[in-house]
Amino acid sequence: METRPINDRGRIDTGTWAGTGIVAGIVAGIVMAMTAMVWMALAGQGFFRPLDAIASILLGRGAITPGFQMLPELVGMAIHLVLSAVFGLVFAFLAARTSLSKGAIIGAAVAYGLLLWVVNVVVIDTLFVPAGLSLAPTPLMIVVHVVYGLVLGLIAAPKLSSKH
């Protein structure tokens, strides 16, 4: 039995996959950000360091300061959540065109999170991050991208899977 809302052309409804992707992407992005923020706080780098580092993409190296500063934190979170929503939308678009089970969608989402890590390191760090500034240690970046993919998959799979 299909669990997905199917339109008259036999495809999952656009509103279903798009909404699922955006919501799942944002929730996954929040969990990802909180994981990074706690990790960096425990490592003595500061709770807001991940948001500052993301904000430095637009605001430059000056966005990275000790403690809380409203502008870098808001800019960093805005960039992060927009990208999280867009990446969730892309994943849902792709997953809605498959006939994968829930477990397969979750596995694909974890792999997608790792692919996003590669894109982040190769494209975003190289092109947009101020020279000499690393967004975060590699182990943290891998972990948080796996977390993003896992949460994305767990939320999206029930709506996007073709099997129970």
Side-chain angles (χ1 to χ4, degrees):
M1 179 166 99
E2 294 262 339
T3 60
R4 309 181 298 176
I6 304 295
N7 64 24
D8 58 355
R9 291 179 295 173
R11 291 193 172 249
I12 187 169
D13 287 327
T14 301
T16 298
W17 67 255
T20 296
I22 291 168
V23 169
I26 289 171
V27 172
I30 291 168
V31 174
M32 177 188 197
M34 290 306 301
T35 302
M37 293 167 77
V38 169
W39 180 311
M40 293 300 277
L42 293 173
Q45 298 293 314
F47 184 73
F48 296 105
R49 170 79 181 203
L51 297 179
D52 292 345
I54 295 167
S56 74
I57 294 168
L58 288 181
L59 303 177
R61 192 179 288 275
I64 300 175
T65 59
F68 176 82
Q69 287 194 13
M70 182 74 70
L71 182 62
E73 275 50 286
L74 289 177
V75 169
M77 186 54 76
I79 291 169
H80 182 68
L81 291 179
V82 167
L83 290 174
S84 295
V86 169
F87 292 141
L89 185 64
V90 169
F91 178 79
F93 173 81
L94 297 171
R97 280 146 181 76
T98 70
S99 58
L100 297 175
S101 68
K102 289 178 187 176
I105 288 176
I106 293 167
V110 171
Y112 181 72
L114 287 170
L115 175 65
L116 292 177
W117 168 67
V118 171
V119 169
N120 191 2
V121 170
V122 173
V123 178
I124 295 179
D125 277 2
T126 304
L127 297 178
F128 299 108
V129 175
L133 177 65
S134 173
L135 288 178
T138 299
L140 170 60
M141 292 297 282
I142 293 170
V143 167
V144 297
H145 283 84
V146 167
V147 166
Y148 176 84
L150 180 61
V151 173
L152 177 69
L154 289 170
I155 294 170
K159 293 272 191 182
L160 302 177
S161 69
S162 63
K163 302 170 188 158
H164 285 300

